[in-house]
Amino acid sequence: RISAMSGFSVTVASWDDQLPFEASHIHLTNNKLADMRALLRVVHKERIQCVIGHTMATWYYLAFLKLVSRARLVLEMHGFIEREAYFYGSISKTRMRLWALVYRMFYPLMDLITTCSENAVEILAPLNKNVVPIYGGVDTDLFNPETPAPKTVHREPGTVLIGYAGNTRKWQGVPFLLDSFRELHTEDPTFRLAFLSSESKELPAQEGVEFYGQVAHKEVPAFLAACDVLVIPRLDDAISRISFPSKLPEYLAMGKPVVASRTSDAHRIITDGIDGFLFEPGDMASFLSILRALKDKSVRTRVGKAARTTALARFRWNSQSAIHPSR
């Protein structure tokens, strides 16, 4: 959007060999010193006024530019990487705390920090007054209820197909989903579960569950269209609390009832019982109770229509990327 506006020019510094759009390109290497020199030359030569760092992976570039340039600096933050590393056991608690201390000194240097989570804003607000949440958006033309379902997704008459699309990382709650579904399917075999993930092959076979491998993003809506209910079963942990599920706007845009745990800001988006359903993270009884209620097609239809309305009102990319003069 910015590159298409008159009066703006865009330069991208990335590790990609080439860009998927027209822009000046600084090809980064893993030689940080050389990269910083190249970046500084362009910032000075082009008189660049604003530098946006995509995720905390760019923090050292932004810190460097703070010292040697007058450019306004924006951090587009998607999570606290030291917490993620500790969560996965990649670093010790001591190292996590040390990195957290370094980052606490870095955050105040930024002219603006954007996050995809209100919870992250609450954490960062004491360190920087200019922190704003910008949720992920959705292409509501691509993700829409009129999308035809693919023949590859197995459906049987009279069944209710629960759908999950995404990765199987620890915070996603996939084991909880599979355990819950096992109990549900034993009680009522008309419920089925469809699982779309690049890691599908790593999951154990389970009765009533169909696993589908990775597809191109443009093909995801077709998979979702085949499902009756869409779920986000995230657990309550350090990662889930501060990372917004990008699948949520896509689920809503498909006009399907969404069942999500009260974490990852889902509770700030979904109005329980109106355009989706919420349950406490890890509460299997509540989760199963909601799924049983969604066997009623009229409930699915009512909530699905409201979900689509929410997506159109709040998550279109045009509105998400709109320029706000007050900012």
Side-chain angles (χ1 to χ4, degrees), residues 14-325:
S14 78
W15 288 272
D16 302 294
D17 291 330
Q18 52 185 280
L19 301 179
F21 53 88
E22 290 296 324
S24 299
H25 187 207
I26 303 172
H27 183 247
L28 299 176
T29 68
N30 285 320
N31 184 330
K32 292 184 175 61
L33 184 58
D35 289 342
M36 288 178 180
R37 287 174 177 168
L39 186 59
L40 180 60
R41 282 196 298 270
V42 172
V43 167
H44 282 169
K45 180 180 178 181
E46 302 296 331
R47 297 182 181 180
I48 289 176
Q49 296 171 295
C50 179
V51 177
I52 302 172
H54 179 66
T55 79
M56 281 295 291
T58 62
W59 78 271
Y60 42 85
Y61 293 123
L62 295 175
F64 168 70
L65 289 174
K66 184 69 177 182
L67 296 174
V68 298
S69 78
R70 294 183 178 181
R72 292 295 185 94
L73 304 176
V74 178
L75 171 65
E76 181 189 337
M77 189 171 176
H78 289 234
F80 296 82
I81 56 177
E82 76 281 6
R83 297 188 187 192
E84 293 183 17
Y86 174 68
F87 187 76
Y88 273 103
S90 302
I91 61 175
S92 66
K93 182 177 287 189
T94 299
R95 285 190 65 189
M96 179 192 71
R97 288 174 174 170
L98 286 173
W99 276 114
L101 181 60
V102 171
Y103 297 148
R104 283 180 68 87
M105 294 185 287
F106 165 74
Y107 297 134
L109 302 178
M110 297 296 96
D111 295 293
L112 174 68
I113 299 176
T114 69
T115 79
C116 56
S117 161
E118 291 275 6
N119 293 340
V121 171
E122 293 173 359
I123 294 171
L124 293 168
L127 303 173
N128 191 312
K129 295 180 179 180
N130 295 319
V131 184
V132 295
I134 302 176
Y135 291 126
V138 58
D139 181 342
T140 53
D141 292 328
L142 178 62
F143 287 82
N144 75 83
E146 303 305 318
T147 303
K151 296 180 180 179
T152 53
V153 176
H154 181 65
R155 289 298 308 260
E156 293 181 3
T159 59
V160 177
L161 188 61
I162 302 166
Y164 174 89
N167 63 61
T168 62
R169 291 170 189 162
K170 191 175 179 180
W171 65 79
Q172 299 284 16
V174 170
F176 168 79
L177 172 59
L178 293 175
D179 289 344
S180 299
F181 178 76
R182 184 180 296 109
E183 183 170 324
L184 180 66
H185 184 68
T186 300
E187 170 192 314
D188 187 346
T190 62
F191 281 98
R192 312 283 293 185
L193 175 62
F195 208 100
L196 180 69
S197 176
S198 60
E199 296 117 330
S200 289
K201 293 182 180 180
E202 301 172 13
L203 298 171
Q206 186 171 317
E207 187 176 354
V209 182
E210 296 285 343
F211 296 103
Y212 299 90
Q214 184 177 10
V215 298
H217 185 251
K218 65 181 180 180
E219 297 176 32
V220 173
F223 169 81
L224 301 180
C227 303
D228 299 302
V229 179
L230 301 172
V231 294
I232 302 177
R234 289 188 173 194
L235 303 178
D236 183 29
D237 53 57
I239 306 304
S240 290
R241 293 185 204 117
I242 57 177
S243 62
F244 182 74
S246 58
K247 64 171 66 67
L248 177 52
E250 296 175 347
Y251 279 9
L252 294 170
M254 291 302 299
K256 304 286 183 176
V258 180
V259 183
S261 59
R262 290 181 181 272
T263 188
S264 303
D265 278 11
H267 58 294
R268 302 179 191 270
I269 305 302
I270 292 174
T271 302
D272 192 23
I274 303 299
D275 54 6
F277 295 91
L278 297 167
F279 66 96
E280 294 302 322
D283 186 345
M284 185 180 294
S286 177
F287 183 46
L288 293 180
S289 177
I290 294 169
L291 292 177
R292 292 187 193 103
L294 285 170
K295 191 171 182 179
D296 186 333
K297 185 176 180 180
S298 65
V299 176
R300 299 199 304 267
T301 300
R302 171 180 60 80
V303 175
K305 287 181 178 178
R308 174 69 178 179
T309 299
T310 296
L312 293 173
R314 300 187 61 179
F315 293 108
R316 290 184 180 185
W317 277 121
N318 282 346
S319 59
Q320 293 298 85
S321 61
I323 305 300
H324 298 284

